[in-house]
């Protein structure tokens, strides 16, 4: 089961709240998944579709609690792809259906389609959170945090997409809208903002799971950066030591180490005997001990001397 499906299952099992919150959530679900069907004598029916049984049960319960309506649930199986069950929640044509659609902002007073979000439904904080939960249940998805951070909500209506984006950004999140074929996609890519939205919707278990994975990923990335840095420094140290040993051997083979000043000869012999240690450790072996800068100064003198000998031989 994907992380997105687990998140929806958690949200679909949240205890139903106050009637005002249930109306907000129902309105969002109808906006996302509802189909309004016109029949004779200006009667309208409503049909909601979902692949999630828990969401279908939740819609059924909300209509029963808020409006005392027993909706019809039909189950079918897709003929293609994954062949998952497909759930249809139907509300028959009638005056009560039309009244509900007007109350939930699907129709205006002239019985025409209303495309935006009915502001009266989200006056309270609890209702705004319920509406966010509804739009995610109806058309949202969130990537597994093991991969890239991405949460999106898809709708086919530009007006509603802008209203959703504005509602999310009231919480100082950075939701944006892009167009994908004929769909409007509201998306978040910042992990902190995805966590905040999961919290607003009430997906607390998904939030904790997301955070655990995110912390683990951040630690793993930090460790990898440190290891890469240490490896680069080690390679640099090894390459420098190999170059130093080659230069000292060249001096020994050409003019001999006995021709060097005592301090340089001591340094050259110490490096030849300990080709793998750092400059700091090399200085601590000398008598008297020499600091890292002093060791570096002597090594540079030896390398400059080797370069001068090579140049003289080349000429």
């Amino acid at each position: 089961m994907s992380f997105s499906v687990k998140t929806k299952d958690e949200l679909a099992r949240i205890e139903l709240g106050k009637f005002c919150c249930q109306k907000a959530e129902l309105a969002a679900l109808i906006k996302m998944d509802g189909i309004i069907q016109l029949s004779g004598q200006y009667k309208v029916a409503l049909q909601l579709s979902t692949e999630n049984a828990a969401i279908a049960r939740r819609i059924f319960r909300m209509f029963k609690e808020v409006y005392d309506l027993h909706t019809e649930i039909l189950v079918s199986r897709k003929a293609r792809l994954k062949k998952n069950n497909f759930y249809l929640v139907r509300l028959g044509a009638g005056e009560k259906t039309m009244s509900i659609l007007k109350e939930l902002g699907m129709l205006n007073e002239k019985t025409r389609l209303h495309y935006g979000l009915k502001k009266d439904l989200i006056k309270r904080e609890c209702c705004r959170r319920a509406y966010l939960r509804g739009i995610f249940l109806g058309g949202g998805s969130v990537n597994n945090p093991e991969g890239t951070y991405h949460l999106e909500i898809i709708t086919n209506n530009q007006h509603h997409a802008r209203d959703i984006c504005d509602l999310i950004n009231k919480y100082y999140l950075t939701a944006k809208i892009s167009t994908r074929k004929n769909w409007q996609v509201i998306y978040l890519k910042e992990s902190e903002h995805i966590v905040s939205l999961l919290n607003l919707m009430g997906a607390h278990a998904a939030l904790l799971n997301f955070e655990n994975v995110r912390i683990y990923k951040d630690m793993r990335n930090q460790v990898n950066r440190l290891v890469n840095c240490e490896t680069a420094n080690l390679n640099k140290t090894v390459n420098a030591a190999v170059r130093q040993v080659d230069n000292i051997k060249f001096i020994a083979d050409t003019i001999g180490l006995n021709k060097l000043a005592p301090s340089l000869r001591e340094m050259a012999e110490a490096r030849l005997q300990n080709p793998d240690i750092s400059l700091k450790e090399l200085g601590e072996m000398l008598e008297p001990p020499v600091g890292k800068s002093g060791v570096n100064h002597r090594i540079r003198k030896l390398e400059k001397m080797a370069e001068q000998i090579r140049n003289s031989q080349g000429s």
Side-chain angles (χ1 to χ4, degrees):
M1 187 184 294
S2 70
F3 182 77
S4 189
V5 171
K6 289 179 180 177
T7 303
K8 286 190 176 183
D9 280 347
E10 180 188 358
L11 291 174
R13 286 170 170 78
I14 290 177
E15 185 177 349
L16 298 179
K18 296 176 289 187
F19 282 1
C20 61
C21 299
Q22 292 188 53
K23 287 179 182 180
E25 189 173 333
L26 265 177
L29 282 161
I30 296 171
K31 284 284 188 185
M32 303 303 291
D33 293 335
I35 298 175
I36 296 176
Q37 300 170 319
L38 297 176
S39 60
Q41 298 180 340
Y42 299 100
K43 291 183 179 180
V44 294
L46 175 66
Q47 180 175 288
L48 290 96
S49 60
T50 178
E51 293 182 14
N52 190 306
I55 296 175
R57 286 194 299 269
R58 187 173 182 85
I59 295 170
F60 178 89
R61 289 179 58 205
M62 286 192 289
F63 274 121
K64 176 66 175 68
E65 284 207 14
V66 179
Y67 297 107
D68 195 25
L69 283 176
H70 288 279
T71 54
E72 181 183 9
I73 298 182
L74 304 177
V75 183
S76 60
R77 183 177 289 272
K78 284 187 174 180
R80 298 179 181 178
L81 300 176
K82 298 179 182 178
K83 298 182 179 179
N84 294 335
N85 284 340
F86 201 66
Y87 302 91
L88 297 176
V89 183
R90 295 185 61 203
L91 203 60
E95 289 297 326
K96 191 160 188 179
T97 299
M98 184 177 291
S99 175
I100 290 171
L101 292 175
K102 287 181 179 179
E103 183 179 1
L104 298 182
M106 307 303 122
L107 302 174
N108 60 24
E109 292 303 319
K110 295 182 179 180
T111 321
R112 294 177 180 174
L113 289 176
H114 176 71
Y115 294 105
L117 193 167
K118 188 176 181 181
K119 305 301 182 183
D120 288 347
L121 293 169
I122 56 169
K123 287 183 177 180
R124 299 178 180 179
E125 172 66 16
C126 57
C127 298
R128 287 192 285 272
R129 291 174 179 241
Y131 197 89
L132 289 173
R133 181 164 57 248
I135 60 172
F136 186 82
L137 287 172
S141 65
V142 57
N143 283 7
N144 190 320
E146 283 283 1
T148 56
Y149 299 127
H150 185 83
L151 181 148
E152 67 180 31
I153 297 160
I154 300 178
T155 179
N156 60 1
N157 186 276
Q158 290 183 349
H159 297 285
H160 194 215
R162 285 196 295 269
D163 286 344
I164 293 170
C165 192
D166 291 342
L167 176 58
I168 292 173
N169 289 338
K170 282 184 181 293
Y171 295 95
Y172 304 101
L173 308 181
T174 55
K176 297 179 181 178
I177 302 175
S178 66
T179 302
R180 186 184 301 159
K181 294 184 179 178
N182 295 325
W183 296 94
Q184 301 296 308
V185 182
I186 304 99
Y187 64 91
L188 291 170
K189 287 188 174 294
E190 294 289 335
S191 58
E192 294 86 354
H193 295 174
I194 294 173
V195 166
S196 296
L197 187 56
L198 291 175
N199 181 51
L200 288 169
M201 294 186 298
H204 303 303
L207 182 156
L208 292 174
N209 189 9
F210 191 101
E211 281 285 60
N212 287 338
V213 174
R214 185 175 69 141
I215 291 169
Y216 175 77
K217 273 179 63 178
D218 289 345
M219 288 184 67
R220 184 176 60 196
N221 291 338
Q222 186 175 1
V223 168
N224 287 339
R225 285 194 296 270
L226 289 173
V227 169
N228 291 338
C229 183
E230 288 293 333
T231 301
N233 289 337
L234 181 60
N235 289 336
K236 184 178 178 181
T237 301
V238 170
N239 291 335
V242 169
R243 186 184 69 250
Q244 294 161 12
V245 169
D246 288 344
N247 284 328
I248 292 170
K249 286 181 177 179
F250 177 74
I251 294 172
D253 293 340
T254 52
I255 66 174
L257 297 183
N258 58 335
K259 297 291 182 68
L260 300 176
S263 60
L264 292 181
R265 185 172 68 249
E266 182 186 21
M267 177 59 63
E269 291 172 347
R271 175 47 93 191
L272 288 175
Q273 294 168 8
N274 304 277
D276 300 326
I277 64 176
S278 66
L279 296 184
K280 182 181 179 182
E281 293 170 321
L282 198 61
E284 292 172 351
M285 296 180 61
L286 301 178
E287 191 61 43
V290 177
K292 182 179 177 180
S293 59
V295 173
N296 191 44
H297 177 69
R298 296 183 189 185
I299 290 291
R300 285 180 181 275
K301 277 192 172 183
L302 290 169
E303 291 186 324
K304 186 175 181 180
M305 185 180 296
E307 183 181 354
Q308 289 172 345
I309 295 172
R310 288 190 181 95
N311 291 339
S312 64
Q313 287 181 344
S315 62

